[in-house]
Amino acid sequence: MRAAVLTRTGGPNAMTIAELDRPEPGPGEVLVEVAACGMCGHDQADRSGLLSIPLPAVLGHEIAGTVVAVGPGVTRFAVGTRVAAKQFGTCGRCGPCANGDELRCARRAFLYGGFAEYAVLPQSALLPVPPGVHLAEAAIAACAVGTGLQALRRIARVEPGETVLVTGAGGGLGLHAVQVAVALGTRVLALTGDPDKTERLRKYGAAHVVTTGDTAWRDILDATEGRGADVVLDNTGHPAVFRQAFRALAHAGRYVLTGQVGGEPIRVHPAFVFAKEAVITGSGSTLMTTFADALDLVAEGRVRPLVTAYPLDDVVSAFTDLDERRVTGRAVLIPGSRPGGHR
């Protein structure tokens, strides 16, 4: 099978296309013919060496495709089932797994292998794709859609009618988080570094769009009649963005971090936190229940995934566009498409 392999850390050119043996599923695993695999900041961090993983490696965790073989003990999926994966597999037997809190599973393991024509995946990480949902859309449901849903609903406990500020709103995570926040009944403010994305963000539900900069906090306060945002969903973790967004957080607001652009740490004076009675917290991944609800939002048309598709052989171009922030929505590799371009 063909696969995009990371043999060394570095820039986009660290990726090479290679022929590998098709893997075989073990106990509790299925073999999936990959139809689509999304690309996100985690893949960039793995590729660049910001995260340490054994090499060589086939990256890719936002996977959707069709089951072509099952291993011993697989009971939930049959050959021919269309499936999508969340970001990690679990044991499925421990207390946290039984209680629906599998993020705490001691055997939780991050998924890899989606940048290939076939991938072996644990059945614990998979859900069937609803009828009518394109596999390229299903591939990004757990990460691009589920991350925002998990952060807003479970961590921030957002209520209908509240105001949510989404940072990095023009990116693959932020654009879908805007839609999720709208689906939850909130008024959404979008913070973006690219003013050219204003109309698209309004199209996807943002009530007000603010461009990042030293006075962004004032624009956010103006848009909320001086009150500020009840919830900030920060997809960037960038110090300059944090300074503006936290300053525009309402009293007793909740500030939820879901991502980090670059390696510079955020600094905050404790006095600013207790003066606001603010909560600063994080949301790291997606529960299976959240993943199921994210797929439902897509199936119902309440969230419209926006993908930019690349053939597997164009993985270097895809990473280059990601690094240079040229991607509209989420970059998705399509193993079965022809090289030489994307749509």
Side-chain angles (χ1 to χ4, degrees):
M1 69 172 187
R2 293 178 66 75
V5 182
L6 180 69
T7 58
R8 58 180 176 84
T9 57
N13 287 322
M15 304 298 303
T16 59
I17 301 297
E19 287 285 345
L20 304 178
D21 292 336
R22 195 176 89 166
E24 295 296 330
E29 297 176 332
V30 303
L31 178 66
V32 173
E33 183 176 7
V34 179
C37 185
M39 304 173 70
C40 79
H42 195 287
D43 301 306
Q44 291 172 285
D46 283 331
R47 190 210 72 212
S48 65
L50 184 62
L51 300 176
S52 179
I53 61 170
L55 299 178
V58 178
L59 306 180
H61 56 278
E62 300 182 14
I63 305 166
T66 303
V67 176
V68 294
V70 300
V74 172
T75 58
R76 295 174 49 209
F77 303 98
V79 172
T81 306
R82 299 194 318 151
V83 295
K86 64 177 179 176
Q87 301 94 317
F88 59 93
T90 57
C91 75
R93 299 181 299 274
C94 66
C97 285
N99 294 329
D101 193 15
E102 69 271 17
L103 288 172
R104 300 179 184 273
C105 176
R107 297 182 64 184
R108 171 183 167 191
F110 198 79
L111 258 60
Y112 288 98
F115 291 3
E117 292 178 317
Y118 296 90
V120 165
L121 303 171
Q123 67 171 344
S124 64
L126 301 176
L127 283 178
V129 176
V133 176
H134 194 282
L135 287 175
E137 298 177 343
I140 69 171
C143 198
V145 180
T147 296
L149 182 58
Q150 178 90 5
L152 289 171
R153 189 175 63 182
R154 183 179 175 91
I155 304 301
R157 300 188 181 278
V158 72
E159 296 288 342
E162 289 191 307
T163 299
V164 174
L165 173 67
V166 177
T167 78
L173 193 58
L175 187 64
H176 296 97
V178 166
Q179 297 182 69
V180 168
V182 172
L184 293 175
T186 71
R187 178 173 183 262
V188 182
L189 309 182
L191 183 63
T192 177
D194 186 354
D196 291 338
K197 295 180 178 179
T198 297
E199 289 306 313
R200 179 178 291 118
L201 286 164
R202 287 177 175 160
K203 174 184 174 182
Y204 282 94
H208 195 82
V209 181
V210 177
T211 303
T212 53
D214 292 341
T215 61
W217 65 276
R218 292 179 183 170
D219 296 332
I220 297 165
L221 290 179
D222 288 345
T224 57
E225 299 180 345
R227 185 177 184 280
D230 300 296
V231 174
V232 173
L233 183 61
D234 190 345
N235 301 305
T236 70
H238 192 281
V241 173
F242 178 84
R243 284 193 295 272
Q244 297 298 315
F246 185 78
R247 193 168 185 178
L249 183 68
H251 185 83
R254 293 92 76 198
Y255 198 107
V256 187
L257 292 153
T258 61
Q260 181 174 359
V261 177
E264 188 178 353
I266 287 172
R267 293 179 173 85
V268 59
H269 290 289
F272 296 160
V273 179
F274 60 69
K276 279 183 181 284
E277 297 185 325
V279 173
I280 301 177
T281 185
S283 182
S285 197
T286 308
L287 289 169
M288 184 62 80
T289 53
T290 306
F291 180 21
D293 290 342
L295 279 171
D296 286 344
L297 287 174
V298 174
E300 295 163 3
R302 299 172 69 192
V303 171
R304 294 170 291 165
L306 183 60
V307 303
T308 298
Y310 296 79
L312 179 67
D313 284 10
D314 284 352
V315 63
V316 172
S317 296
F319 264 127
T320 299
D321 288 349
L322 273 179
D323 288 358
E324 297 180 5
R325 300 183 182 181
R326 292 198 298 251
V327 175
T328 299
R330 198 66 140 190
V332 176
L333 291 179
I334 309 293
S337 61
R338 296 180 179 179
H342 62 272
R343 66 180 189 275

